Amino acid sequence: MDNNTEVSDELSLSLLEASSDSMLLIKDDRFIDCNRAALAMLGYEHKDTLLSMRPCAISPSTQADGQCSNVKAKAMIALANSKGFHRFEWLHQRATGEKFPVEVVLTQVIRQGQALLHVALIDISEHETRLRRLALSKVYFDNTSDAIVVADQYTQIIDVNPAFSKITGYSRREAVGQKSGFMGSGRHGADFYREMWKQLIDRGYWEGEVWDRHKNGNIFPKYLKISSVNNRYGLVENFIGIFSDISEQKKHEEEIRRSVFFDPLTQLPNRRLFIERIEHLTQQYGRKAGPIGVLAIDIDNFKLINDTQGHSVGDQLLVRVAQRLEKQVRKSDTLARMGGDDFMILLENCGSVEAISHAAQKITESVGRPVWINGQEVFTSISTGISLFPKDSLRADELISQADMAMYKAKRHGGDRVEFYARELGERLARFSKIEDGIKRGLKRSEFVAHFQPKIDLRSSTISSCEALARWNDPVNGVVSPAEFIPVAEKSTLIEEITQQMLLQACQLLQQLPADSNFSVSVNLSAVDLQNRELDRQITRLLQQHALEPCQLELEVTESMMMIEMDLAIEMLGKLRLLGVKVSLDDFGTGYSSLSYLKKFPIDTLKIDRSFIKDIDGNTGSPDRTIVKSIITMAKALGIQVVAEGVETPEQVAFLRAVGCDFVQGFYFAKPMPEQQLIAFLQELTVDSIEL
């Protein structure tokens, strides 16, 4: 058969225009005809434009292999002329200058006795792109750190990548041919897989966390994405699964969760998690629930044990108590450490109040046995308060507060006992809230003022200092007793603002007195104030703003306050003394009154509590006289000055002066008075007017 094909003009034109493929005719290195498909491919609007060009104009100067297009084109044409037909790949160029790959078919044809070249062009851009994607996919498949599993439509594995073997321990040979679920851990039920396949069928995609079993038997978590691959008819041909081992991520998440929701010392749920669980429970059941018990538990005398035997013993005691409590609660219950030595238990499904009471008694008895720590026997007990849901409240915060109130009632009755919340305790809570709200308003409206009570120097019969005492003039309820508002302020931390106002008013008083008067004012601090790490800097700024010397200010603290955070309190008071501020230990004799503690406390002055002063007159054999005399003797030995408070009779003054007391304070000389009244009192005062 002749390689040359002869066609008529009509047939040639018909073939050109009818074909959807790009076609051109070349004669003597010139285009003589083309179809619309060729114009569209090459980006020309008019045939005349293309026919006026030489074939080399639609090719870049060099081909993909670097060869000159003209030289290479001549070789391709020579092959077509010699064989009558030649197929090859070529890089063409559109009118815009864009290069694109084509498959070229050159066919020698005869028209009107002349040899022509018929050129057919097929754009293979998509094909090349597909090849590149396949190459990239292969690189990704082999080198990604994610495991890839390819399964057929029957979920039988047909291929896995190297990362699969690294993560699961199974080689490619061991995995291929297995069903895709052959590593199942057994942790997921039928419902889990039913929902997975439902989503795969409905959406063609599923992702989520799955637990699988490693070849070594260990169960590990993975994050899995599964996609179905359909053929041209819409039928599933393959499933592709991509997963990563998220063991470290889960471990990190668990560490974060434990740090947020669990107590690091006892490993019990903390306050935050307990509140979440009780809120969930109250929302879940509403009023329909049977009685649910909320137990507040506090270790009796824990602070004394912690401070006398050391924090290490205290921590070990907390752990032992937590362990004993844990043995008494069921899996359905929640035991939490709320902070310090406070624990709480949520008792569910007890059936009756009697059952809750019985459980609480059993829990209390379980703790009330000696604990051996570091070779020594530590005796302890717990006080337990109970509130009931839904009887007492439907709110989590109220149930916790009610249980706390019941627990404090148990402590007031000696501890080692169980108390239920009662309505009168709720009335106290309401009173507490009312006073707290009043304090907040009063602080904003400057209703808290300092009243100053003078202190008398028994040696010189002069007044060189006074104590600033907080007074609250509530415009609605009148004067509120400090015994009522101070405890509320301390529990709600509002005491810090009251203290700041007393310090400010003390400085304002000192500014109005003569600079050479050597007068000082003492201000009471609370336990909350002592835990304020900025206290020394705040007082320094206050003294500087009022141009006062540090020695003009004295700070009074109590023994019980010092015992709450002893190390922190000693550190802060030490800083204040270094500034030159004086420190006084108030209410001495009513707390621990230990000489070992007294040696540790950085104090300048010791105040004997009024309870020892009231009975020292009249009866020369009074035990209080012996106690007061001993306190003064001890203080003198330590270089500490002594103030006796609550002095109301001349006999008391005489005795205190005789035993060497330095200062006295009480109604016998003056009651606490407002600032201007005190200034007038001091101006009118003479040595003779102080009756001793």
Side-chain angles (χ1 to χ4, degrees):
M1 179 180 175
D2 191 347
N3 288 334
N4 298 333
T5 304
E6 184 168 357
V7 294
S8 66
D9 288 348
E10 292 78 9
L11 180 58
S12 175
L13 290 170
S14 177
L15 288 171
L16 277 174
E17 292 306 324
S19 176
S20 60
D21 293 333
S22 300
M23 294 186 179
L24 306 98
L25 285 174
I26 298 175
K27 178 185 178 184
D28 298 332
D29 197 29
R30 283 190 177 276
F31 293 123
I32 63 170
D33 207 351
C34 68
N35 65 356
R36 284 190 294 271
L39 288 173
M41 175 186 284
L42 295 168
Y44 294 96
E45 292 185 16
H46 305 292
K47 184 184 287 190
D48 292 344
T49 305
L50 184 58
L51 296 183
S52 67
M53 301 169 62
R54 290 181 178 273
C56 63
I58 64 169
S59 298
S61 58
T62 58
Q63 288 298 301
D65 58 5
Q67 291 189 47
C68 173
S69 293
N70 282 340
V71 174
K72 192 170 183 178
K74 289 177 181 178
M76 299 298 106
I77 291 171
L79 282 171
N81 286 330
S82 65
K83 297 192 299 183
F85 173 87
H86 185 48
R87 183 192 297 269
F88 58 93
E89 289 184 5
W90 194 256
L91 196 61
H92 268 318
Q93 185 169 284
R94 304 187 204 278
T96 59
E98 177 192 355
K99 298 173 185 177
F100 66 103
V102 294
E103 183 180 60
V104 181
V105 180
L106 295 180
T107 307
Q108 194 178 63
V109 298
I110 303 298
R111 191 170 72 172
Q112 296 178 349
Q114 294 182 333
L116 305 176
L117 273 180
H118 179 274
V119 184
L121 304 179
I122 302 170
D123 190 337
I124 59 171
S125 300
E126 290 187 7
H127 176 67
E128 293 244 332
T129 301
R130 193 178 303 113
L131 289 175
R132 283 196 298 273
R133 286 175 179 169
L134 285 172
L136 288 172
S137 297
K138 175 64 175 171
V139 172
Y140 175 77
F141 187 83
D142 290 339
N143 294 283
T144 180
S145 59
D146 292 332
I148 301 177
V149 183
V150 182
D152 61 18
Q153 68 267 43
Y154 306 110
T155 73
Q156 186 170 318
I157 296 174
I158 59 176
D159 203 1
V160 297
N161 70 340
F164 173 90
S165 299
K166 184 176 180 181
I167 292 173
T168 67
Y170 289 97
S171 68
R172 183 177 182 278
R173 179 180 295 178
E174 291 171 318
V176 171
Q178 298 269 18
K179 284 286 188 178
S180 58
F182 81 100
M183 296 183 298
S185 64
R187 284 197 177 190
H188 305 289
D191 290 343
F192 176 85
Y193 291 108
R194 192 178 297 113
E195 180 61 26
M196 175 193 289
W197 282 106
K198 183 178 183 301
Q199 287 192 29
L200 262 175
I201 293 168
D202 293 345
R203 307 175 188 174
Y205 182 78
W206 181 89
E207 68 175 302
E209 290 185 9
V210 178
W211 288 83
D212 265 354
R213 191 178 299 276
H214 191 277
K215 185 179 178 180
N216 62 17
N218 292 337
I219 293 174
F220 70 97
K222 68 182 185 183
Y223 195 82
L224 172 64
K225 298 178 182 180
I226 308 175
S227 300
S228 59
V229 181
N230 297 345
N231 61 20
R232 60 192 296 184
Y233 305 108
L235 301 176
V236 175
E237 277 194 344
N238 297 100
F239 293 102
I240 297 178
I242 301 175
F243 65 84
S244 56
D245 185 343
I246 56 171
S247 299
E248 286 302 315
Q249 177 186 328
K250 298 291 282 187
K251 181 181 178 183
H252 183 60
E253 289 173 357
E254 178 62 19
E255 288 173 355
I256 293 174
R257 190 182 75 87
R258 292 204 69 82
S259 68
V260 172
F261 292 111
F262 288 82
D263 171 53
L265 178 64
T266 62
Q267 303 304 309
L268 293 176
N270 61 13
R271 173 182 289 273
R272 181 172 177 177
L273 182 54
F274 184 82
I275 291 173
E276 281 194 11
R277 288 186 180 175
I278 193 172
E279 285 178 343
H280 173 74
L281 203 64
T282 55
Q283 292 169 7
Q284 179 183 359
Y285 289 113
R287 294 182 179 275
K288 297 178 181 178
I292 294 172
V294 179
L295 278 60
I297 295 170
D298 188 84
I299 301 175
D300 299 326
N301 301 318
F302 175 77
K303 202 158 292 298
L304 178 62
I305 295 169
N306 195 47
D307 291 336
T308 56
Q309 300 189 39
H311 294 299
S312 175
V313 172
D315 286 348
Q316 290 184 65
L317 178 59
L318 287 171
V319 172
R320 298 290 182 83
V321 169
Q323 291 170 346
R324 288 184 176 181
L325 292 173
E326 208 164 12
K327 288 180 180 178
Q328 298 301 317
V329 298
R330 303 160 300 174
K331 288 184 178 180
S332 59
D333 302 326
T334 300
L335 165 65
R337 183 189 176 201
M338 305 296 278
D341 60 323
D342 297 329
F343 296 85
M344 274 204 153
I345 299 175
L346 187 60
L347 294 178
E348 299 182 51
N349 304 318
C350 288
S352 66
V353 176
E354 291 74 17
I356 292 172
S357 177
H358 177 73
Q361 291 289 351
K362 189 177 177 183
I363 288 168
T364 303
E365 291 169 6
S366 74
V367 177
R369 304 191 309 271
V371 178
W372 285 90
I373 300 175
N374 297 343
Q376 57 181 333
E377 201 171 21
V378 179
F379 292 89
T380 188
S381 59
I382 59 173
S383 297
T384 305
I386 306 173
S387 62
L388 299 172
F389 171 86
K391 173 181 173 290
D392 295 325
S393 177
L394 300 176
R395 289 176 47 185
D397 56 343
E398 288 183 354
L399 288 164
I400 291 172
S401 297
Q402 291 164 350
D404 276 334
M405 284 188 286
M407 179 268 292
Y408 285 119
K409 181 182 178 183
K411 291 186 83 69
R412 286 195 299 272
H413 284 82
D416 193 21
R417 61 186 289 140
V418 176
E419 291 284 352
F420 276 85
Y421 170 77
R423 185 173 295 277
E424 61 268 19
L425 293 177
E427 292 170 358
R428 291 180 193 172
L429 177 62
R431 175 65 177 165
F432 181 98
S433 298
K434 184 178 179 182
I435 293 173
E436 183 180 16
D437 291 340
I439 293 172
K440 290 176 182 177
R441 289 193 300 270
L443 287 167
K444 291 179 180 177
R445 299 171 183 173
S446 301
E447 294 171 3
F448 289 87
V449 296
H451 282 206
F452 301 92
Q453 186 174 33
K455 298 176 188 176
I456 315 302
D457 187 334
L458 289 177
R459 293 163 299 184
S460 62
S461 299
T462 59
I463 298 174
S464 59
S465 63
C466 66
E467 179 181 1
L469 299 164
R471 295 291 183 264
W472 179 18
N473 296 318
D474 186 342
V476 177
N477 301 307
V479 178
V480 182
S481 168
E484 190 167 11
F485 75 79
I486 291 294
V488 174
E490 286 179 335
K491 287 180 181 178
S492 61
T493 70
L494 293 169
I495 193 66
E496 286 188 273
E497 291 187 56
I498 295 176
T499 301
Q500 291 298 320
Q501 290 199 10
M502 295 304 104
L503 286 167
L504 175 62
Q505 293 179 44
C507 290
Q508 290 172 342
L509 168 67
L510 290 167
Q511 268 191 319
Q512 297 187 59
L513 298 176
D516 58 351
S517 64
N518 294 321
F519 199 85
S520 65
V521 180
S522 62
V523 177
N524 293 283
L525 296 183
S526 71
V528 177
D529 295 315
L530 278 180
Q531 295 174 42
N532 177 10
R533 295 186 178 275
E534 296 292 316
L535 182 63
D536 56 330
R537 285 185 279 273
Q538 291 171 355
I539 289 176
T540 299
R541 285 195 296 270
L542 200 60
L543 292 170
Q544 290 173 345
Q545 288 167 2
H546 292 83
L548 299 173
E549 295 296 326
C551 61
Q552 292 180 267
L553 185 65
E554 185 173 20
L555 301 173
E556 295 194 12
V557 298
T558 64
E559 285 181 272
S560 57
M561 284 162 43
M562 292 287 290
M563 299 301 291
I564 292 174
E565 288 284 354
M566 185 186 294
D567 293 340
L568 184 61
I570 290 174
E571 179 186 354
M572 178 53 68
L573 293 179
K575 289 179 180 179
L576 291 167
R577 285 192 79 202
L578 284 174
L579 293 175
V581 175
K582 291 179 286 187
V583 177
S584 175
L585 186 64
D586 198 6
D587 297 341
F588 187 79
T590 61
Y592 298 94
S593 304
S594 168
L595 184 59
S596 63
Y597 287 139
L598 198 59
K599 288 192 298 181
K600 293 180 182 179
F601 298 161
I603 60 172
D604 302 285
T605 305
L606 185 151
K607 296 186 76 172
I608 303 175
D609 187 70
R610 66 184 68 247
S611 61
F612 296 102
I613 303 301
K614 65 179 182 178
D615 294 327
I616 61 173
D617 52 355
N619 184 2
T620 57
S622 167
D624 288 337
R625 285 192 168 213
T626 304
I627 292 171
V628 170
K629 186 175 180 180
S630 298
I631 291 173
I632 293 171
T633 301
M634 177 182 65
K636 295 292 184 183
L638 295 172
I640 298 172
Q641 292 187 319
V642 180
V643 178
E645 59 182 359
V647 176
E648 297 183 358
T649 67
E651 290 84 5
Q652 292 170 351
V653 175
F655 173 77
L656 291 167
R657 191 171 190 177
V659 295
C661 186
D662 299 296
F663 301 92
V664 289
Q665 176 184 358
F667 286 2
Y668 179 69
F669 300 103
K671 293 182 178 181
M673 60 191 80
E675 177 188 287
Q676 293 306 315
Q677 187 178 335
L678 174 72
I679 292 172
F681 178 80
L682 294 175
Q683 289 172 344
E684 297 171 3
L685 194 67
T686 64
V687 173
D688 295 335
S689 66
I690 301 177
E691 189 174 335
L692 298 177

